[in-house]
Amino acid sequence: MRGVALTQRKGGSGKTVLSHALALGASWHDVPAYLMHTDNREPLKVNGRPYMYYDAREPETLQTLVDAAISVDGLCIIDSAGNRPEFDGWIAQYVDLVLIPVMPDPEDVKEALVQMDVLESQGAQNVRYLINNYPTSKVERKYVERYLRQIPLEKAMGWVGSVKAIRILRENDDPVFRTPPSRVNNLSRSLYRQVRDALDNQLLRSDKILEIL
């Protein structure tokens, strides 16, 4: 089992919806996905989604769930709560990859940079920015890239395009989960592949270090 956490100090960066998208994308690639909800808000009511969803708002519950998941195959995804720095620091050291979603917005970028500094000061080793809601239009991209220039390229995993329909992943499923539109499914698959490649590259780097030692 490999673990990924999505965390951001600022609300509205897409942390929760991207967590669900990642779980969905893993499922569409036939990879068992286990999504841990740690936000103080009530968890969603999910009925029939192709991934497991757990209420892990208490650190002890999260610890128990993660420990149980270590011995099984798949991807463990932690939707990390905002403004709980000690909790975030523990999670960051426990998982294989930490993603900081950042919108192409000056305030989002500012908070994401602070979040990176905090996590790295707490000992997190593999933290990456994930540009969220990146415009599809070249004109719009040119406009927002002035904000994104502050993001170090070597610490960015990639980007996720703007797909408004992705908001449905934050809605309760009543009475059952309906397969999302194609654009949402495609975004979810793409996000999973980015994460998979980032995790694989991390393993390759670790192997090379071991060879040198």
Side-chain angles (χ1 to χ4, degrees), residues 29-126:
H29 280 82
D30 297 321
V31 175
Y34 308 85
L35 176 53
M36 311 293 175
H37 173 89
T38 70
D39 198 291
N40 286 327
R41 292 174 298 178
E42 285 293 318
L44 296 175
K45 296 178 181 179
V46 296
N47 301 308
R49 297 199 186 192
Y51 52 88
M52 302 300 294
Y53 183 53
Y54 299 96
D55 182 352
R57 285 174 287 179
E58 295 299 325
E60 296 79 9
T61 304
L62 178 62
Q63 177 78 63
T64 300
L65 289 168
V66 171
D67 286 344
I70 287 176
S71 60
V72 300
D73 293 331
L75 184 66
C76 178
I77 304 157
I78 300 176
D79 178 7
S80 184
N83 295 320
R84 295 168 71 180
E86 293 183 1
F87 196 26
D88 284 348
W90 175 82
I91 291 172
Q93 295 181 56
Y94 209 90
V95 298
D96 301 294
L97 174 66
V98 181
L99 295 177
I100 302 176
V102 52
M103 303 279 273
D105 170 88
E107 186 64 24
D108 240 55
V109 170
K110 177 183 177 182
E111 292 296 325
L113 292 170
V114 173
Q115 182 83 347
M116 175 68 77
D117 289 342
V118 170
L119 291 174
E120 290 186 334
S121 70
Q122 293 173 329
Q125 297 295 318
N126 195 21

Side-chain angles (χ1 to χ4, degrees), residues 153-164:
L153 289 177
E154 69 275 8
K155 292 186 178 181
M157 185 189 76
W159 57 271
V160 174
S162 177
V163 177
K164 292 182 179 179

Side-chain angles (χ1 to χ4, degrees), residues 1-7 22 75-80 88 91-100 116 119 124-130 155-158 191-203 205:
M1 171 72 69
R2 294 194 282 185
V4 177
L6 288 92
T7 180
L22 177 55
L75 184 66
C76 178
I77 304 157
I78 300 176
D79 178 7
S80 184
D88 284 348
I91 291 172
Q93 295 181 56
Y94 209 90
V95 298
D96 301 294
L97 174 66
V98 181
L99 295 177
I100 302 176
M116 175 68 77
L119 291 174
Q125 297 295 318
N126 195 21
V127 188
R128 296 289 181 269
Y129 298 105
L130 175 63
K155 292 186 178 181
M157 185 189 76
L191 176 58
Y192 168 72
R193 288 192 294 268
Q194 289 186 62
V195 168
R196 178 195 61 195
D197 291 345
L199 290 169
D200 289 346
N201 288 336
Q202 180 190 6
L203 289 175
R205 288 195 299 271

Side-chain angles (χ1 to χ4, degrees), residues 126-164:
N126 195 21
V127 188
R128 296 289 181 269
Y129 298 105
L130 175 63
I131 310 303
N132 186 27
N133 205 30
Y134 193 53
T136 54
S137 164
K138 290 183 178 180
V139 175
E140 291 181 11
R141 286 184 178 183
K142 187 176 181 180
Y143 178 78
V144 302
E145 280 174 356
R146 58 180 174 172
Y147 307 128
L148 299 176
R149 290 194 192 103
Q150 300 177 61
I151 300 293
L153 289 177
E154 69 275 8
K155 292 186 178 181
M157 185 189 76
W159 57 271
V160 174
S162 177
V163 177
K164 292 182 179 179

